[in-house]
Amino acid sequence: MNTQLVTAAVALKARHTELREFPMPDIPADAGILRVSVTGVCGSDWPIYLNDKAGPRILGHEMIGTVEMLGPLAFERWGLKLGDRVALEEYLPCGHCHFCRTAEYRSCPETDAQRFGAVRYGSTPVNKRPSLWGGYSQFVYLHPRSVFHRLPSTDVIPDRIAAMALPIGNGFQWAYLDGGAGPGKTVVIQGPGQQGLGCVIAAKAAGASCIIVSGLARDADRLDVAKALGADHVVAVDQQDLRAEVERITSGRMADLVIDVAGGGPEIFNNSLALLHRLGVFQTSVRRRAPLNNFDIDQLVTKQVTFRGMRGHSFQAVELAIRTMEEGKFPLQRMTTHLMGLHEVDAALRMVGGQTEERSIHISVDPWKA
Ligand SMILES: [Zn+2]
Ligand SMILES: [Zn+2]
């Protein structure tokens, strides 16, 4: 029997976490324990934090750490040893459904946090044993179906950079693998948050010819970072007309790919169609939770536009993000704005939710920080 205690920030009710201690679990032969170095705070943590229907849980699903314990079967299957450094995905895919078999496990029913009873890091209640399902904790349970990526040493990729493996992985998935950003392409990215900046990195790495990033005037710092990461032009949409700017920058050719990671109202759909030339692609990751009125279907048809929802990432996308970090060609440290402890998880989540004056791009939580 293990007597060690694990400290974690537990979301007890909406907008409220408290530090709690859990016994270090005994692990089955096919599982393990991760010692968390840092966990990245994701925009999607905010709606999870507001929703307390599932009961108390440890949030945080973008985990970096080292292998602390490993059952004998996990040792054989995973090819990991104690002390190995990994990035953990939020998903626990089933491994045998159609989507898992075709390398699309982000569509596996088991990875869908919206599905009742699905087990996923950062949104599974602590009453499901062994409780350690979230990254805002000193240790996390490595489920037999966990998906991890091997990482080089902290000299090559520091923890706070590694903690962006999933948002930058989303960028590679959305802008490059799904969106087809590449040589000759003009890409408009609406929203300079961590996902939007991930798309900038991916589009640049893929060789896109022209990258335009839009935001609001109050996003000036983020738009500066977008430029440092490779954006050719930035547009503050409350000061400039985005359509006119895209027309001017492209000499009327308009964009091949428009990505919406900004939120905002439904007018963004018709406005985005207007930014595309024929055969363009429009992609959004933002749920509106309401039907869309006045959508300009004629423009969609006339231009033969592809309209695509974006969600999550593949294994390959996260590997591309990690290779990019390893190469060190991008000033990724410009994105890492905050490092906070477990006692500051509420403050971190409020900042990500846009509830504070102070703004962040990417926050890491270090569960060992005093
Ligand atoms: Zn996330
Ligand atoms: Zn599956």
Side-chain angles (χ1 to χ4, degrees), residues 66-369:
T66 51
V67 177
E68 176 79 7
M69 286 190 226
L70 207 52
L73 263 179
F75 175 80
E76 269 177 33
R77 288 178 181 165
W78 293 349
L80 289 177
K81 54 186 192 315
L82 295 182
D84 279 358
R85 186 169 181 248
V86 296
L88 199 60
E89 293 194 13
E90 69 273 53
Y91 303 138
L92 294 167
C94 80
H96 55 76
C97 73
H98 171 80
F99 300 105
C100 285
R101 293 290 192 222
T102 52
E104 281 290 358
Y105 56 72
R106 60 183 160 147
S107 293
C108 170
E110 290 294 329
T111 67
D112 190 349
Q114 316 255 321
R115 182 177 149 268
F116 183 76
V119 182
R120 175 168 159 150
Y121 288 116
S123 53
T124 296
V126 293
N127 66 14
K128 168 123 183 123
R129 287 156 71 98
S131 305
L132 304 179
W133 298 107
Y136 304 144
S137 168
Q138 294 172 331
F139 294 91
V140 164
Y141 175 61
L142 289 172
H143 187 280
R145 300 198 311 258
S146 56
V147 179
F148 50 80
H149 298 262
R150 285 173 180 74
L151 289 172
S153 72
T154 51
D155 308 340
V156 181
I157 307 180
D159 281 331
R160 292 172 65 185
I161 302 285
M164 299 189 289
L166 296 191
I168 297 176
N170 285 346
F172 274 94
Q173 186 70 48
W174 300 348
Y176 172 58
L177 296 172
D178 293 342
K185 302 284 187 188
T186 293
V187 183
V188 177
I189 297 158
Q190 304 186 80
Q194 46 176 290
Q195 316 280 342
L197 296 173
C199 290
V200 173
I201 294 162
K204 189 72 182 174
S209 297
C210 179
I211 302 170
I212 302 166
V213 179
S214 70
L216 299 171
R218 67 171 188 150
D219 296 322
D221 289 352
R222 296 177 178 196
L223 293 172
D224 277 349
V225 175
K227 274 192 161 167
L229 294 172
D232 299 287
H233 304 271
V234 297
V235 180
V237 295
D238 43 356
Q239 293 177 338
Q240 292 161 285
D241 182 283
L242 179 59
R243 188 185 186 285
E245 283 302 300
V246 172
E247 193 165 4
R248 181 184 66 76
I249 291 163
T250 62
S251 305
R253 289 187 306 275
M254 306 309 283
D256 301 279
L257 171 64
V258 173
I259 290 176
D260 163 36
V261 278
E267 65 283 352
I268 199 163
F269 292 97
N270 287 341
N271 292 346
S272 296
L273 287 180
L275 302 177
L276 287 166
H277 69 54
R278 286 176 187 244
L279 300 173
V281 177
F282 173 72
Q283 300 185 156
T284 184
S285 70
V286 186
R287 289 168 205 275
R288 262 68 187 193
R289 301 185 197 282
L292 193 55
N293 294 323
N294 305 318
F295 180 65
D296 188 355
I297 192 90
D298 288 358
Q299 200 182 171
L300 182 97
V301 172
T302 303
K303 290 184 173 174
Q304 303 170 69
V305 164
T306 300
F307 196 100
R308 183 183 288 127
M310 308 184 290
R311 194 178 179 195
H313 51 79
S314 60
F315 188 87
Q316 184 195 1
V318 179
E319 286 289 312
L320 288 172
I322 293 170
R323 294 292 84 76
T324 302
M325 292 171 173
E326 213 165 34
E327 287 167 18
K329 291 180 189 159
F330 291 89
L332 301 177
Q333 71 284 354
R334 294 278 307 266
M335 292 172 67
T336 58
T337 52
H338 295 76
L339 181 67
M340 298 166 99
L342 285 183
H343 57 291
E344 298 167 297
V345 163
D346 282 307
L349 291 166
R350 280 198 296 272
M351 205 182 289
V352 164
Q355 308 292 299
T356 56
E357 197 122 309
E358 189 178 346
R359 301 187 79 212
S360 60
I361 295 178
H362 187 268
I363 304 172
S364 282
V365 170
D366 173 352
W368 306 95
K369 181 174 179 276

